[in-house]
Amino acid sequence: ERCILPPNLASQSNKCFSGLQDKGELLKSSLALSHASTVAIVILPQPQRDYSGLQGAAAITAMLQALGKHVTMVTNKTNENLVESFVRELVRAGYLQQAVPVLSYPNDDDIPNDNKSAAIHFLTQDDGQKKLKFDHLVRI
């Protein structure tokens, strides 16, 4: 499952798939990524330790770094150490130009269903202007 969305559409997961099935939408999404300066790659937890999401994240990160983009990987607290060690190994092996930050987003159990302020706080900078941290989110 791969989805490329600007942050303002990220919460509307049903738009994720229908948008990329329309003719030309994948090209538009790719062009939008090429014009973004900051991209967050969101790695969703896998119940059976399926590493294909990490491999896809590595490939997208390498491509974005080659384009000079600032990339951040986002995962839940449970997978944070795994993703950090994966990034270190990719840098050591020369696959990534440099390490990328790995941020953990609170587990679903830690956030009440009606609390959108946690997501807004996570996606915005702390300068009080509510400017988004990332131009695009890529969910894997």
Side-chain angles (χ1 to χ4, degrees):
E1 167 183 352
R2 298 211 171 26
C3 178
I4 303 169
L5 290 174
N8 61 335
L9 295 178
S11 64
Q12 302 171 8
S13 62
N14 60 340
K15 290 192 175 223
C16 173
F17 302 107
S18 63
L20 291 180
Q21 292 174 358
D22 293 340
K23 184 175 182 173
E25 288 300 313
L26 182 58
L27 176 60
K28 288 178 187 176
S29 296
S30 298
L31 286 173
L33 272 179
S34 73
H35 288 78
S37 60
T38 58
V39 178
I41 298 177
V42 181
I43 304 167
L44 299 176
Q46 300 297 321
Q48 300 171 344
R49 289 287 188 194
D50 175 14
Y51 295 106
S52 62
L54 287 174
Q55 294 167 351
I60 292 170
T61 299
M63 179 269 303
L64 291 170
Q65 281 187 340
L67 294 172
K69 309 303 178 188
H70 297 283
V71 180
T72 301
M73 289 190 184
V74 177
T75 190
N76 63 1
K77 290 178 185 178
T78 306
N79 291 325
E80 184 177 20
N81 290 335
L82 173 70
V83 175
E84 286 175 340
S85 62
F86 184 68
V87 168
R88 280 193 302 273
E89 181 59 25
L90 291 172
V91 172
R92 187 197 65 73
Y95 190 78
L96 293 181
Q97 296 172 0
Q98 61 187 13
V100 298
V102 176
L103 302 178
S104 67
Y105 189 79
N107 293 331
D108 290 339
D109 296 340
D110 298 337
I111 302 173
N113 289 337
D114 60 346
N115 186 359
K116 293 183 180 181
S117 63
I120 292 169
H121 179 71
F122 184 81
L123 292 172
T124 57
Q125 296 178 6
D126 293 331
D127 60 6
Q129 296 180 358
K130 298 294 182 201
K131 182 180 177 198
L132 293 174
K133 290 180 187 176
F134 311 108
D135 296 330
H136 278 278
L137 303 176
V138 178
R139 185 180 75 181
I140 296 181

